[in-house]
């Protein structure tokens, strides 16, 4: 008996070591079954996801290590799955939002979790070598992954400040930018314009990061300047937001033109606002920020923004065809991208908003289920044949519950599943759909998941990006809404947020159908045919 116990024990140790050290193959999805994902094997699957997606967080792939800023993404060789030209030498604050979100989760784990529960921290496993100056100034933590988190945070905020010094006219807000070792530069098409939506996404990542760094004793002691730098940058945005984005008629601008990007912000430096940020989707992140932090001419002016947003906050019925209707919030395309705000802010704390969110995601699963689609839909790079580029597909989603019509449902993307990870009483729902797309041909590579695949299994988009990959990683780890909830509460701001969201969603959704219907799970019978081969470098 004793001998057997011992050998079992040794076997156990060996298998543990193998799992921890080798992480097996990048093509790990087919070694799990859908049934295992739904019933139990989810944690080891998620650990694999974090390890391989973590390879995207490496120099000249998803990040420029020198300046700590994101790159939008990188192309892959269609056959091998290895990196191929071009690196996307540009980025936007939306990518920073995801990056800051992951960094905030890592900071939060450092103070609240035992080492064996580290997930976000272990995403940052690609080492960053500290400069001599950094070695002298930043203490080592004893965990090299966490040291990577801290190093990148220092470099990132220095780059933000340098950008603001170089182009003060942006008021600290970032346009789409060109990125290289010397930091951020102007990008064609965005040399004198600044977008509101992407900055709103970034801001809530900044909020989580600076609050963690300035309230946790261990961070204050070990990295005394870091939190202050982030807080000051946040304050810069607070100081300039109204001047740049507010329209006294009661709207927030979507994009604003800057007369002189080298001039210190003054009101007459901003003109020709184009578009309104009055959507009830991710554009709302800037609106909430301005509502909570900025100086308003009056309470009426502050509320007028929300009143003017009502037009696009609409209730619509999704028809299941067999089991009645589900009341949802009308989408623009009903692309999952539109749910970004649920990664960032505690909307689900407001009961009516949570019920509407859940119904929307319920409908998303019914739509794919009844149409036998092997995946979910979100705006993404289009599929193509090798050596071609068919652009970006914004218009994908669910036509019948969207403002826009004629949407394509020919291609799916893993990040179509990200909102489902935020449905907390369905722990396997998001992963089961994610898995269904990952087992598609060439949908895994050395850097984790691939951008998109068509449902007939003949073509992919050979590219890896923050949007299509790391939104879902952030979501698998719960997003940062809980962190921001904690700080909104301690900063006395949650009440206002809750009041506004409750008022607006209650008004638009007096009645919800379909709440008793189940969420639909993918089935083994509906899969992406393996017409295309897997990447030779990941099969
Ligand atoms: C992909 O890599 C293979 C093998 O190195 C090479 O022969 C092929 O030209 C590459 N294809 C593209 C589209 O770059
Ligand atoms: C990163 O550095 C740590 C500490 O030096 C080392 O243990 C680890 O193996 C390195 N990781 C990689 C991927 O090289
Ligand atoms: C980065 O790009 C800017 C603007 O194009 C250029 O002036 C600078 O030399 C570049 N830096 C590096 C290290 O390539
Ligand atoms: C849909 O309705 C049918 C007929 O009432 C019922 O048998 C079935 O269980 C329902 N499906 C779901 C998923 O609730
Ligand atoms: C995406 O690319 C395919 C060809 O690979 C093309 O048929 C389709 O029209 C493109 N879709 C959009 C929306 O551009
Ligand atoms: C994995 O699935 C089980 C069973 O559904 C569930 O209890 C558990 O919370 C899930 N774990 C994760 C990390 O999703």
């Amino acid at each position: 008996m004793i001998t057997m116990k011992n050998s079992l024990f040794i076997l156990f140790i060996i298998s543990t070591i193998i799992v921890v050290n080798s992480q097996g193959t990048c093509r790990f999805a087919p070694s799990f079954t859908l049934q295992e994902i739904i019933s139990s094997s989810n944690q080891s699957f998620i650990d694999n996801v974090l390890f391989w997606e973590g390879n995207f967080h490496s120099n000249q792939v998803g990040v420029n290590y020198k300046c700590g800023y994101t790159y939008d993404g990188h192309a892959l060789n269609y056959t091998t799955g290895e990196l191929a030209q071009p690196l996307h030498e540009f980025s936007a604050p939306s990518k920073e939002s995801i990056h800051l979100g992951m960094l905030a989760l890592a900071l939060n784990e450092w103070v609240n979790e035992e080492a064996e529960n580290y997930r976000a921290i272990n995403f940052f496993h690609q080492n960053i070598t500290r400069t001599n100056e950094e070695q002298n100034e930043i203490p080592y933590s004893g965990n090299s992954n966490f040291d990577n988190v801290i190093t990148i945070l220092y470099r990132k905020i220095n780059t933000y400040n340098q950008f603001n010094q170089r182009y003060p006219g942006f008021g600290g807000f970032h346009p789409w930018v060109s990125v290289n070792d010397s930091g951020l530069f102007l990008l064609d098409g965005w040399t004198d314009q600044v977008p509101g939506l992407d900055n709103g996404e970034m801001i809530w990542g900044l909020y989580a990061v600076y609050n963690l760094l300035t309230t946790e004793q261990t961070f204050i002691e070990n990295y005394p300047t870091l939190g202050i730098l982030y807080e000051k940058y946040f304050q810069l945005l607070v100081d300039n937001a109204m001047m740049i984005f507010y329209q006294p008629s009661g709207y927030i601008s979507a994009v604003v033109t800057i007369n002189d990007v080298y001039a210190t912000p003054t009101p007459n430096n901003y003109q020709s606002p184009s578009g309104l940020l009055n959507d009830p989707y991710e554009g709302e992140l800037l609106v909430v920020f301005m509502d909570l932090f900025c100086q308003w001419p009056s309470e009426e002016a502050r509320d007028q923004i929300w009143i003017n947003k009502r037009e696009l906050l609409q209730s619509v019925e999704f028809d299941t065809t067999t089991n009645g209707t589900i009341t949802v919030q009308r989408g623009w395309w009903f692309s999952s991208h539109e749910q970004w705000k649920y990664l960032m802010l505690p909307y689900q704390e407001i009961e009516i908003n949570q019920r509407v969110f859940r119904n929307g995601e319920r409908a998303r699963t019914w739509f794919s289920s009844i149409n036998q689609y092997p995946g979910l839909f979100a705006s993404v790079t289009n599929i193509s044949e090798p050596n071609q580029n068919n652009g970006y597909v914004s218009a994908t989603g669910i036509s019948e519950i969207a403002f826009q019509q004629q949407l394509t449902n020919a291609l799916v993307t893993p990040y179509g599943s990200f909102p489902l990870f935020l449905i907390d009483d369905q722990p396997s729902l998001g992963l089961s759909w994610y898995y269904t797309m990952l087992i598609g041909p060439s949908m895994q590579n050395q850097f984790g998941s691939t951008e998109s695949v068509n449902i007939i299994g003949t073509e992919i988009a050979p590219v890896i990006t923050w949007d299509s990959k790391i939104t879902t990683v952030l979501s698998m780890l719960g997003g940062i809404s809980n962190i921001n909830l904690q700080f909104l509460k301690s900063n006395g701001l949650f009440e206002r947020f809750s009041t506004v969201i409750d008022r607006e969603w209650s008004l638009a959704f007096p009645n919800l159908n379909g709440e008793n219907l189940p969420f639909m799970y993918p089935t083994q019978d509906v899969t992406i045919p393996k017409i295309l081969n897997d990447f030779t470098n990941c099969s």
Side-chain angles (χ1 to χ4, degrees):
M1 272 317 273
I2 288 172
T3 327
M4 197 175 138
K5 250 192 190 162
N6 280 349
S7 55
L8 274 180
F9 181 63
I10 289 165
L11 253 179
F12 173 75
I13 290 183
I14 291 172
S15 56
T16 309
I17 289 171
I18 289 170
V19 169
V20 170
N21 281 349
S22 81
Q23 287 294 336
T25 156
C26 56
R27 189 52 168 150
F28 62 85
S31 60
F32 291 78
T33 66
L34 179 61
Q35 211 41 53
E36 281 169 342
I37 294 295
I38 292 176
S39 59
S40 60
S41 290
N42 42 20
Q43 198 52 66
S44 88
F45 192 91
I46 286 175
D47 287 343
N48 271 285
V49 169
L50 287 167
F51 177 82
W52 293 103
E53 293 291 335
N55 286 345
F56 180 68
H57 194 275
S58 56
N59 193 30
Q60 300 301 109
V61 183
V63 188
N64 178 299
Y65 270 5
K66 264 243 164 78
C67 74
Y69 209 82
T70 49
Y71 283 119
D72 175 78
H74 206 300
L76 298 179
N77 179 300
Y78 208 113
T79 313
T80 64
E82 292 165 311
L83 294 177
Q85 292 301 324
L87 166 67
H88 297 185
E89 289 176 290
F90 55 87
S91 192
S94 43
K95 326 308 160 204
E96 288 296 294
S97 144
I98 311 169
H99 194 203
L100 287 164
M102 288 300 297
L103 292 162
L105 285 178
L107 292 173
N108 196 49
E109 278 180 358
W110 187 251
V111 287
N112 291 312
E113 293 288 352
E114 302 295 329
E116 67 262 27
N117 296 327
Y118 290 165
R119 304 260 183 271
I121 289 174
N122 292 342
F123 171 82
F124 295 95
H125 62 81
Q126 288 286 345
N127 284 334
I128 305 171
T129 310
R130 288 187 179 174
T131 62
N132 288 337
E133 200 186 342
E134 285 168 339
Q135 286 176 33
N136 292 333
E137 285 179 9
I138 315 172
Y140 285 97
S141 67
N143 177 313
S144 63
N145 295 349
F146 187 70
D147 288 337
N148 295 331
V149 169
I150 294 297
T151 310
I152 215 85
L153 279 168
Y154 271 102
R155 294 183 186 182
K156 182 186 288 300
I157 194 62
N158 287 338
T159 294
Y160 284 20
N161 281 324
Q162 193 187 49
F163 165 80
N164 182 46
Q165 279 152 19
R166 212 173 262 165
Y167 309 110
F170 286 93
F173 293 90
H174 303 188
W176 282 79
V177 286
S178 150
V179 181
N180 68 20
D181 285 359
S182 324
L184 310 182
F185 295 89
L186 301 181
L187 186 70
D188 279 353
W190 287 97
T191 53
D192 63 350
Q193 290 195 308
V194 60
L197 183 146
D198 300 70
N199 278 286
E201 293 171 340
M202 177 178 81
I203 279 166
W204 293 106
L206 282 173
Y207 186 68
V209 164
Y210 101 67
N211 274 288
L212 285 161
L213 288 171
T214 55
T215 55
E216 293 294 343
Q217 204 51 39
T218 177
F219 300 146
I220 296 170
E221 275 165 23
N222 288 305
Y223 322 113
T225 56
L226 190 59
I228 297 169
L229 288 171
Y230 276 93
E231 181 167 11
K232 279 195 172 145
Y233 203 86
F234 185 86
Q235 191 57 44
L236 173 72
L237 303 180
V238 172
D239 293 343
N240 290 326
M242 292 296 270
M243 192 194 301
I244 299 175
F245 291 106
Y246 178 57
Q247 298 182 22
S249 55
Y251 288 96
I252 307 293
S253 306
V255 177
V256 175
T257 299
I258 304 164
N259 290 330
D260 180 358
V261 298
Y262 301 102
T264 306
T266 50
N268 57 14
N269 199 23
Y270 304 99
Q271 58 166 29
S272 318
S274 71
L276 302 174
L277 215 55
N278 58 346
D279 67 276
Y281 319 115
E282 65 272 54
E284 201 167 271
L285 290 166
L286 184 70
V287 176
V288 173
F289 162 73
M290 290 175 65
D291 181 295
L292 296 182
F293 291 95
C294 293
Q295 293 291 323
W296 289 83
S298 65
E299 279 309 301
E300 289 70 30
R302 190 203 296 246
D303 273 331
Q304 192 62 42
I305 299 286
W306 293 97
I307 293 166
N308 289 347
K309 275 166 59 55
R310 285 179 188 162
E311 194 185 332
L312 293 180
L313 183 55
Q314 294 185 5
S315 173
V316 59
E317 298 297 316
F318 174 82
D319 188 355
T320 67
T321 68
T322 51
N323 297 61
T325 66
I326 304 174
T327 311
V328 305
Q329 178 184 326
R330 192 187 293 280
W332 190 249
W333 296 292
F334 217 88
S335 150
S336 295
H337 193 291
E338 292 160 22
Q339 303 287 44
W340 197 299
K341 68 183 186 183
Y342 289 90
L343 290 168
M344 298 284 143
L345 283 178
Y347 280 92
Q348 290 200 67
E349 292 295 305
I350 293 96
E351 192 198 347
I352 180 64
N353 188 286
Q354 180 178 52
R355 288 169 56 204
V356 173
F357 172 67
R358 290 173 64 93
N359 257 11
E361 297 314 312
R362 185 175 277 117
R364 195 185 305 285
T365 64
W366 272 84
F367 177 70
S368 286
S369 185
I370 58 190
N371 290 295
Q372 306 214 327
Y373 290 135
L376 303 163
F377 304 94
S379 305
V380 76
T381 312
N382 197 7
I383 50 133
S384 70
E385 296 192 337
N387 299 314
Q388 292 195 348
N389 178 351
N390 295 335
Y392 190 81
V393 182
S394 295
T396 175
I398 308 179
S399 291
E400 66 171 294
I401 49 174
F403 282 105
Q404 303 294 306
Q405 305 297 309
Q406 270 93 49
L407 311 182
T408 178
N409 293 113
L411 72 167
V412 293
T413 173
Y415 95 103
S417 69
F418 92 76
L420 301 179
F421 288 91
L422 303 173
I423 306 284
D424 26 339
D425 59 358
Q426 304 284 324
S428 302
L429 181 66
L431 205 60
S432 63
W433 282 104
Y434 183 77
Y435 165 85
T436 299
M437 292 179 271
L438 237 57
I439 52 171
S442 286
M443 284 305 285
Q444 292 188 285
N445 59 73
Q446 296 288 338
F447 305 90
S449 60
T450 307
E451 181 92 354
S452 66
V453 59
N454 59 357
I455 61 175
I456 57 173
T458 57
E459 290 175 29
I460 54 157
V463 59
I464 45 179
T465 63
W466 280 92
D467 278 30
S468 80
K469 295 164 65 63
I470 316 299
T471 43
T472 316
V473 175
L474 186 57
S475 192
M476 272 175 209
L477 301 177
I480 57 169
S481 63
N482 282 333
I483 298 174
N484 282 336
L485 171 64
Q486 173 197 335
F487 293 116
L488 284 175
K489 280 189 169 163
S490 61
N491 294 334
L493 297 168
F494 180 67
E495 194 59 38
R496 165 72 186 169
F497 173 72
S498 168
T499 302
V500 170
I501 300 307
D502 181 55
R503 182 185 71 205
E504 297 304 319
W505 264 261
S506 298
L507 208 58
F509 298 92
N511 177 44
L512 295 181
N513 295 318
E515 288 187 282
N516 293 326
L517 288 172
F519 290 88
M520 299 302 269
Y521 284 71
T523 67
Q524 260 142 352
D525 318 329
V526 181
T527 56
I528 302 168
K530 297 201 168 55
I531 311 290
L532 191 66
N533 290 323
D534 280 342
F535 288 130
T536 55
N537 184 261
C538 188
S539 53

